[in-house]
Amino acid sequence: GRYEDAERLSCQLLEISRRTKGILDEDLAKSLVLLGESRCRAGKHVEAESVLRESAAIWERSQPDRWERFHAASLLGESLAGQGRSLRASDAAAAASKFAEAEPLLQSGYEGLSARRNAMPHARREKYIPESLHRIVAFYQSWGREEKAKAWKDKLVHTGVEKPGTKGPVSPPALTPAAERVRVATIAGI
């Protein structure tokens, strides 16, 4: 379905970016984020990690103060947290290590996006900042840190992202296949 389509389109875009752009190119970093995000949404957290690390490294070297760097960090944190959730039953020590690595990435991702909110296009700001908060709440819930999850959930309410007393899922809803294709094409500029 839709995740496979998004991943396939993201892989095609990445291949084009690698052939036509330099190693530190902004388009390459954006393509890597699209692929990593598609893989995270599909639950392929291990596969998402390497492309998100590469994107974050490109932003760090070329334009460390851009909001896109912090979006990549937030997604990388999600990838690591997803791996931690998968490992909890089989290898508690490895899971704890993934959670410990994810925590500062998730927090710095949110803080960086929030601090650069005025530099972000409106649609990206309205989508990525709430998503980064949702990732943190879901992360602390999956790690069993309910007090921290509650503190971040309160921040969701305080920032107006969520209404007080809601008990809905903390993850943002998945896009329809058509909406995902439009999102990928829009970000890619095609």
Side-chain angles (χ1 to χ4, degrees):
R2 64 181 171 239
Y3 295 125
E4 293 82 13
D5 289 343
E7 185 174 356
R8 183 181 47 74
L9 288 170
S10 296
C11 283
Q12 290 172 353
L13 183 61
L14 178 59
E15 186 178 317
I16 292 167
S17 293
R18 284 196 193 280
R19 279 197 315 253
T20 60
K21 307 293 181 182
I23 191 103
L24 297 179
D25 190 78
E26 180 177 311
D27 290 337
L28 176 58
K30 288 178 181 179
S31 297
L32 289 161
V33 162
L34 279 173
L35 178 56
E37 184 176 16
S38 295
R39 288 178 174 170
C40 279
R41 286 180 185 261
K44 298 178 178 180
H45 297 104
V46 172
E47 295 90 341
E49 181 182 355
S50 62
V51 294
L52 291 168
R53 281 192 190 282
E54 185 178 353
S55 178
I58 290 170
W59 287 116
E60 180 67 30
R61 287 190 306 262
S62 64
Q63 298 184 56
D65 203 44
R66 291 275 301 261
W67 65 265
E68 290 94 334
R69 171 183 164 226
F70 299 96
H71 179 55
S74 178
L75 286 167
L76 178 56
E78 178 181 357
S79 142
L80 294 165
Q83 292 175 57
R85 283 189 298 275
S86 296
L87 289 167
R88 271 186 29 209
S90 62
D91 189 344
S97 175
K98 292 292 184 182
F99 284 139
E101 189 179 358
E103 185 175 31
L105 290 165
L106 290 164
Q107 289 180 358
S108 70
Y110 165 73
E111 291 163 2
L113 287 170
S114 191
R116 289 156 185 81
R117 71 182 317 112
N118 293 331
M120 298 172 72
H122 178 77
R124 301 284 193 293
R125 178 177 61 239
E126 295 301 309
K127 180 178 190 304
Y128 294 155
I129 293 173
E131 281 183 352
S132 67
L133 275 169
H134 282 286
R135 282 186 193 105
I136 294 169
V137 172
F139 163 73
Y140 282 123
Q141 287 174 335
S142 66
W143 200 3
R145 307 264 170 105
E146 291 303 322
E147 283 187 28
K148 286 190 174 189
K150 183 186 178 324
W152 284 95
K153 180 102 169 157
D154 290 346
K155 191 172 274 203
L156 278 167
V157 172
H158 176 72
T159 59
V161 172
E162 201 164 284
K163 292 181 179 147
T166 58
K167 301 218 185 254
V170 294
S171 299
L175 298 175
T176 65
E180 183 69 15
R181 285 191 296 277
V182 169
R183 183 186 72 80
V184 169
T186 301
I187 292 172
I190 54 177

